[in-house]
Amino acid sequence: FSVGGVSVAEPIADALDAPLEILLVDALHAPGHPDLAVGAVAEVDRPHRLVDSVLAAQLGLDERELGTLVSHHRWRFRHDRNRVHALRSLAPLRGRMVVLADDATAPLPCLQLAARVVRGARPRRVVLALPAATGPALDRLGREVDEIVHALSIADHPTPGRLYGDHVLWSRIEIGHRIDRSHDRAAR
């Protein structure tokens, strides 16, 4: 999901001897509220979006304003695809077990949308792997996936990502190389 999520996903893919894929999901931040995600967007084969309609209404965002936010993010996805050749359609997921992994720094709507996009590909099972998660997030995400695996439950911390000290963030080019190596290994 997030760029930092690749550092969580890679060792999981290595341990399972499975190919590493990336699903780019971007938060729709409310205008004037850069830390508040009113939804999320993804583009895999076709555009996907998730909007918290209650929050959007509370903020006075109408469909036109949401459309503008989505258009901006679609441009960013095309730009990112041009920078990372690995951002392509996901491998076929039908009937397979899929492990979604993230560093838990992405807003909750991003994780929910990623799970829905993957679920739409009809995998046999969807497991979400996170280093840490809050109780409310686990409740909401538990409705989207078959299982959640996490190392740490955080009762009173709203953003688990703030617990990280030294966290690896690779460039999009490095991510592309890591995905290619993963696919080469899986093809052997």
PDB file of all heavy atoms in Angstrom, residues 86-111:
ATOM      1  N   ALA A  86       7.190  -1.599 -12.615  1.00  0.00           N
ATOM      2  CA  ALA A  86       6.525  -2.750 -11.990  1.00  0.00           C
ATOM      3  C   ALA A  86       5.065  -2.475 -11.644  1.00  0.00           C
ATOM      4  O   ALA A  86       4.343  -3.394 -11.309  1.00  0.00           O
ATOM      5  CB  ALA A  86       7.275  -3.156 -10.731  1.00  0.00           C
ATOM      6  N   LEU A  87       4.641  -1.226 -11.695  1.00  0.00           N
ATOM      7  CA  LEU A  87       3.255  -0.917 -11.347  1.00  0.00           C
ATOM      8  C   LEU A  87       2.374  -1.234 -12.542  1.00  0.00           C
ATOM      9  O   LEU A  87       2.190  -0.454 -13.442  1.00  0.00           O
ATOM     10  CB  LEU A  87       3.118   0.551 -10.921  1.00  0.00           C
ATOM     11  CG  LEU A  87       3.961   0.926  -9.720  1.00  0.00           C
ATOM     12  CD1 LEU A  87       3.759   2.389  -9.375  1.00  0.00           C
ATOM     13  CD2 LEU A  87       3.637   0.061  -8.531  1.00  0.00           C
ATOM     14  N   ARG A  88       1.827  -2.414 -12.522  1.00  0.00           N
ATOM     15  CA  ARG A  88       1.046  -2.935 -13.635  1.00  0.00           C
ATOM     16  C   ARG A  88      -0.151  -3.668 -13.051  1.00  0.00           C
ATOM     17  O   ARG A  88      -0.378  -3.626 -11.858  1.00  0.00           O
ATOM     18  CB  ARG A  88       1.898  -3.885 -14.455  1.00  0.00           C
ATOM     19  CG  ARG A  88       2.391  -5.069 -13.604  1.00  0.00           C
ATOM     20  CD  ARG A  88       3.564  -5.756 -14.238  1.00  0.00           C
ATOM     21  NE  ARG A  88       4.025  -6.879 -13.489  1.00  0.00           N
ATOM     22  CZ  ARG A  88       4.737  -6.827 -12.368  1.00  0.00           C
ATOM     23  NH1 ARG A  88       5.030  -5.683 -11.849  1.00  0.00           N
ATOM     24  NH2 ARG A  88       5.137  -7.923 -11.775  1.00  0.00           N
ATOM     25  N   SER A  89      -0.861  -4.363 -13.864  1.00  0.00           N
ATOM     26  CA  SER A  89      -1.966  -5.164 -13.356  1.00  0.00           C
ATOM     27  C   SER A  89      -1.422  -6.193 -12.374  1.00  0.00           C
ATOM     28  O   SER A  89      -0.323  -6.704 -12.525  1.00  0.00           O
ATOM     29  CB  SER A  89      -2.675  -5.892 -14.500  1.00  0.00           C
ATOM     30  OG  SER A  89      -3.260  -4.958 -15.361  1.00  0.00           O
ATOM     31  N   LEU A  90      -2.215  -6.477 -11.375  1.00  0.00           N
ATOM     32  CA  LEU A  90      -1.810  -7.497 -10.408  1.00  0.00           C
ATOM     33  C   LEU A  90      -1.773  -8.861 -11.079  1.00  0.00           C
ATOM     34  O   LEU A  90      -2.495  -9.120 -12.028  1.00  0.00           O
ATOM     35  CB  LEU A  90      -2.797  -7.545  -9.246  1.00  0.00           C
ATOM     36  CG  LEU A  90      -2.807  -6.343  -8.312  1.00  0.00           C
ATOM     37  CD1 LEU A  90      -3.915  -6.496  -7.283  1.00  0.00           C
ATOM     38  CD2 LEU A  90      -1.467  -6.186  -7.621  1.00  0.00           C
ATOM     39  N   ALA A  91      -0.942  -9.716 -10.544  1.00  0.00           N
ATOM     40  CA  ALA A  91      -0.922 -11.109 -11.007  1.00  0.00           C
ATOM     41  C   ALA A  91      -2.304 -11.712 -10.744  1.00  0.00           C
ATOM     42  O   ALA A  91      -3.028 -11.245  -9.875  1.00  0.00           O
ATOM     43  CB  ALA A  91       0.151 -11.881 -10.246  1.00  0.00           C
ATOM     44  N   PRO A  92      -2.681 -12.731 -11.501  1.00  0.00           N
ATOM     45  CA  PRO A  92      -3.981 -13.363 -11.256  1.00  0.00           C
ATOM     46  C   PRO A  92      -4.082 -13.856  -9.807  1.00  0.00           C
ATOM     47  O   PRO A  92      -3.194 -14.554  -9.314  1.00  0.00           O
ATOM     48  CB  PRO A  92      -4.006 -14.539 -12.231  1.00  0.00           C
ATOM     49  CG  PRO A  92      -3.003 -14.187 -13.282  1.00  0.00           C
ATOM     50  CD  PRO A  92      -1.954 -13.351 -12.597  1.00  0.00           C
ATOM     51  N   LEU A  93      -5.155 -13.480  -9.137  1.00  0.00           N
ATOM     52  CA  LEU A  93      -5.329 -13.818  -7.727  1.00  0.00           C
ATOM     53  C   LEU A  93      -6.437 -14.835  -7.485  1.00  0.00           C
ATOM     54  O   LEU A  93      -6.548 -15.369  -6.384  1.00  0.00           O
ATOM     55  CB  LEU A  93      -5.634 -12.548  -6.917  1.00  0.00           C
ATOM     56  CG  LEU A  93      -4.617 -11.415  -7.020  1.00  0.00           C
ATOM     57  CD1 LEU A  93      -5.083 -10.217  -6.203  1.00  0.00           C
ATOM     58  CD2 LEU A  93      -3.243 -11.879  -6.582  1.00  0.00           C
ATOM     59  N   ARG A  94      -7.234 -15.101  -8.493  1.00  0.00           N
ATOM     60  CA  ARG A  94      -8.381 -16.000  -8.327  1.00  0.00           C
ATOM     61  C   ARG A  94      -7.939 -17.347  -7.752  1.00  0.00           C
ATOM     62  O   ARG A  94      -7.036 -17.992  -8.261  1.00  0.00           O
ATOM     63  CB  ARG A  94      -9.087 -16.222  -9.658  1.00  0.00           C
ATOM     64  CG  ARG A  94     -10.314 -17.137  -9.551  1.00  0.00           C
ATOM     65  CD  ARG A  94     -10.976 -17.371 -10.889  1.00  0.00           C
ATOM     66  NE  ARG A  94     -11.629 -16.200 -11.407  1.00  0.00           N
ATOM     67  CZ  ARG A  94     -12.887 -15.826 -11.097  1.00  0.00           C
ATOM     68  NH1 ARG A  94     -13.605 -16.556 -10.302  1.00  0.00           N
ATOM     69  NH2 ARG A  94     -13.403 -14.742 -11.613  1.00  0.00           N
ATOM     70  N   GLY A  95      -8.585 -17.741  -6.654  1.00  0.00           N
ATOM     71  CA  GLY A  95      -8.330 -19.036  -6.043  1.00  0.00           C
ATOM     72  C   GLY A  95      -7.047 -19.132  -5.241  1.00  0.00           C
ATOM     73  O   GLY A  95      -6.734 -20.184  -4.701  1.00  0.00           O
ATOM     74  N   ARG A  96      -6.281 -18.053  -5.147  1.00  0.00           N
ATOM     75  CA  ARG A  96      -5.008 -18.090  -4.427  1.00  0.00           C
ATOM     76  C   ARG A  96      -5.161 -17.465  -3.039  1.00  0.00           C
ATOM     77  O   ARG A  96      -6.070 -16.698  -2.791  1.00  0.00           O
ATOM     78  CB  ARG A  96      -3.947 -17.311  -5.201  1.00  0.00           C
ATOM     79  CG  ARG A  96      -3.717 -17.890  -6.595  1.00  0.00           C
ATOM     80  CD  ARG A  96      -2.743 -17.091  -7.363  1.00  0.00           C
ATOM     81  NE  ARG A  96      -1.400 -17.423  -6.916  1.00  0.00           N
ATOM     82  CZ  ARG A  96      -0.311 -16.872  -7.409  1.00  0.00           C
ATOM     83  NH1 ARG A  96      -0.397 -15.962  -8.347  1.00  0.00           N
ATOM     84  NH2 ARG A  96       0.860 -17.212  -6.955  1.00  0.00           N
ATOM     85  N   MET A  97      -4.249 -17.789  -2.152  1.00  0.00           N
ATOM     86  CA  MET A  97      -4.182 -17.077  -0.885  1.00  0.00           C
ATOM     87  C   MET A  97      -3.343 -15.826  -1.106  1.00  0.00           C
ATOM     88  O   MET A  97      -2.271 -15.899  -1.709  1.00  0.00           O
ATOM     89  CB  MET A  97      -3.552 -17.918   0.208  1.00  0.00           C
ATOM     90  CG  MET A  97      -3.618 -17.200   1.548  1.00  0.00           C
ATOM     91  SD  MET A  97      -2.888 -18.144   2.888  1.00  0.00           S
ATOM     92  CE  MET A  97      -1.298 -17.387   2.965  1.00  0.00           C
ATOM     93  N   VAL A  98      -3.835 -14.694  -0.641  1.00  0.00           N
ATOM     94  CA  VAL A  98      -3.133 -13.424  -0.810  1.00  0.00           C
ATOM     95  C   VAL A  98      -2.816 -12.860   0.568  1.00  0.00           C
ATOM     96  O   VAL A  98      -3.680 -12.822   1.446  1.00  0.00           O
ATOM     97  CB  VAL A  98      -3.996 -12.417  -1.597  1.00  0.00           C
ATOM     98  CG1 VAL A  98      -3.317 -11.059  -1.675  1.00  0.00           C
ATOM     99  CG2 VAL A  98      -4.309 -12.948  -2.989  1.00  0.00           C
ATOM    100  N   VAL A  99      -1.572 -12.446   0.752  1.00  0.00           N
ATOM    101  CA  VAL A  99      -1.174 -11.759   1.969  1.00  0.00           C
ATOM    102  C   VAL A  99      -0.958 -10.297   1.599  1.00  0.00           C
ATOM    103  O   VAL A  99      -0.063  -9.979   0.827  1.00  0.00           O
ATOM    104  CB  VAL A  99       0.114 -12.351   2.578  1.00  0.00           C
ATOM    105  CG1 VAL A  99       0.510 -11.564   3.831  1.00  0.00           C
ATOM    106  CG2 VAL A  99      -0.066 -13.827   2.899  1.00  0.00           C
ATOM    107  N   LEU A 100      -1.812  -9.443   2.130  1.00  0.00           N
ATOM    108  CA  LEU A 100      -1.634  -7.999   1.990  1.00  0.00           C
ATOM    109  C   LEU A 100      -0.758  -7.558   3.149  1.00  0.00           C
ATOM    110  O   LEU A 100      -1.031  -7.921   4.301  1.00  0.00           O
ATOM    111  CB  LEU A 100      -2.962  -7.267   2.084  1.00  0.00           C
ATOM    112  CG  LEU A 100      -3.940  -7.430   0.944  1.00  0.00           C
ATOM    113  CD1 LEU A 100      -5.265  -6.760   1.294  1.00  0.00           C
ATOM    114  CD2 LEU A 100      -3.374  -6.821  -0.319  1.00  0.00           C
ATOM    115  N   ALA A 101       0.289  -6.810   2.885  1.00  0.00           N
ATOM    116  CA  ALA A 101       1.179  -6.364   3.951  1.00  0.00           C
ATOM    117  C   ALA A 101       1.367  -4.863   3.852  1.00  0.00           C
ATOM    118  O   ALA A 101       1.478  -4.309   2.756  1.00  0.00           O
ATOM    119  CB  ALA A 101       2.523  -7.078   3.850  1.00  0.00           C
ATOM    120  N   ASP A 102       1.392  -4.221   4.994  1.00  0.00           N
ATOM    121  CA  ASP A 102       1.621  -2.782   5.034  1.00  0.00           C
ATOM    122  C   ASP A 102       2.339  -2.437   6.331  1.00  0.00           C
ATOM    123  O   ASP A 102       2.331  -3.216   7.280  1.00  0.00           O
ATOM    124  CB  ASP A 102       0.303  -2.012   4.934  1.00  0.00           C
ATOM    125  CG  ASP A 102       0.532  -0.530   4.697  1.00  0.00           C
ATOM    126  OD1 ASP A 102       1.142  -0.194   3.661  1.00  0.00           O
ATOM    127  OD2 ASP A 102       0.138   0.286   5.547  1.00  0.00           O
ATOM    128  N   ASP A 103       2.946  -1.262   6.360  1.00  0.00           N
ATOM    129  CA  ASP A 103       3.635  -0.823   7.572  1.00  0.00           C
ATOM    130  C   ASP A 103       2.690  -0.106   8.533  1.00  0.00           C
ATOM    131  O   ASP A 103       3.116   0.369   9.575  1.00  0.00           O
ATOM    132  CB  ASP A 103       4.834   0.066   7.227  1.00  0.00           C
ATOM    133  CG  ASP A 103       4.445   1.343   6.506  1.00  0.00           C
ATOM    134  OD1 ASP A 103       3.247   1.564   6.250  1.00  0.00           O
ATOM    135  OD2 ASP A 103       5.362   2.133   6.190  1.00  0.00           O
ATOM    136  N   ALA A 104       1.413  -0.041   8.194  1.00  0.00           N
ATOM    137  CA  ALA A 104       0.370   0.565   9.024  1.00  0.00           C
ATOM    138  C   ALA A 104       0.481   2.078   9.139  1.00  0.00           C
ATOM    139  O   ALA A 104      -0.110   2.678  10.028  1.00  0.00           O
ATOM    140  CB  ALA A 104       0.311  -0.084  10.411  1.00  0.00           C
ATOM    141  N   THR A 105       1.230   2.705   8.232  1.00  0.00           N
ATOM    142  CA  THR A 105       1.270   4.162   8.237  1.00  0.00           C
ATOM    143  C   THR A 105       0.215   4.747   7.306  1.00  0.00           C
ATOM    144  O   THR A 105      -0.085   5.925   7.384  1.00  0.00           O
ATOM    145  CB  THR A 105       2.656   4.699   7.826  1.00  0.00           C
ATOM    146  OG1 THR A 105       2.956   4.263   6.504  1.00  0.00           O
ATOM    147  CG2 THR A 105       3.734   4.231   8.798  1.00  0.00           C
ATOM    148  N   ALA A 106      -0.350   3.924   6.438  1.00  0.00           N
ATOM    149  CA  ALA A 106      -1.388   4.392   5.519  1.00  0.00           C
ATOM    150  C   ALA A 106      -2.688   4.609   6.294  1.00  0.00           C
ATOM    151  O   ALA A 106      -2.992   3.872   7.231  1.00  0.00           O
ATOM    152  CB  ALA A 106      -1.620   3.361   4.418  1.00  0.00           C
ATOM    153  N   PRO A 107      -3.473   5.611   5.893  1.00  0.00           N
ATOM    154  CA  PRO A 107      -4.769   5.809   6.546  1.00  0.00           C
ATOM    155  C   PRO A 107      -5.678   4.590   6.355  1.00  0.00           C
ATOM    156  O   PRO A 107      -5.570   3.860   5.365  1.00  0.00           O
ATOM    157  CB  PRO A 107      -5.349   7.036   5.840  1.00  0.00           C
ATOM    158  CG  PRO A 107      -4.176   7.739   5.249  1.00  0.00           C
ATOM    159  CD  PRO A 107      -3.187   6.657   4.913  1.00  0.00           C
ATOM    160  N   LEU A 108      -6.570   4.382   7.287  1.00  0.00           N
ATOM    161  CA  LEU A 108      -7.469   3.233   7.272  1.00  0.00           C
ATOM    162  C   LEU A 108      -8.221   3.069   5.952  1.00  0.00           C
ATOM    163  O   LEU A 108      -8.322   1.945   5.451  1.00  0.00           O
ATOM    164  CB  LEU A 108      -8.441   3.327   8.452  1.00  0.00           C
ATOM    165  CG  LEU A 108      -9.355   2.137   8.669  1.00  0.00           C
ATOM    166  CD1 LEU A 108      -8.579   0.851   8.871  1.00  0.00           C
ATOM    167  CD2 LEU A 108     -10.258   2.406   9.867  1.00  0.00           C
ATOM    168  N   PRO A 109      -8.743   4.138   5.323  1.00  0.00           N
ATOM    169  CA  PRO A 109      -9.427   3.930   4.041  1.00  0.00           C
ATOM    170  C   PRO A 109      -8.539   3.294   2.969  1.00  0.00           C
ATOM    171  O   PRO A 109      -9.027   2.559   2.118  1.00  0.00           O
ATOM    172  CB  PRO A 109      -9.869   5.337   3.628  1.00  0.00           C
ATOM    173  CG  PRO A 109      -9.967   6.097   4.906  1.00  0.00           C
ATOM    174  CD  PRO A 109      -8.876   5.531   5.779  1.00  0.00           C
ATOM    175  N   CYS A 110      -7.237   3.554   3.015  1.00  0.00           N
ATOM    176  CA  CYS A 110      -6.324   2.936   2.044  1.00  0.00           C
ATOM    177  C   CYS A 110      -6.264   1.429   2.248  1.00  0.00           C
ATOM    178  O   CYS A 110      -6.300   0.657   1.285  1.00  0.00           O
ATOM    179  CB  CYS A 110      -4.923   3.533   2.173  1.00  0.00           C
ATOM    180  SG  CYS A 110      -4.820   5.254   1.678  1.00  0.00           S
ATOM    181  N   LEU A 111      -6.168   1.003   3.491  1.00  0.00           N
ATOM    182  CA  LEU A 111      -6.124  -0.428   3.778  1.00  0.00           C
ATOM    183  C   LEU A 111      -7.445  -1.097   3.409  1.00  0.00           C
ATOM    184  O   LEU A 111      -7.456  -2.202   2.854  1.00  0.00           O
ATOM    185  CB  LEU A 111      -5.805  -0.651   5.255  1.00  0.00           C
ATOM    186  CG  LEU A 111      -4.464  -0.097   5.743  1.00  0.00           C
ATOM    187  CD1 LEU A 111      -4.339  -0.243   7.258  1.00  0.00           C
ATOM    188  CD2 LEU A 111      -3.309  -0.756   5.046  1.00  0.00           C
TER     189      LEU A 111
END
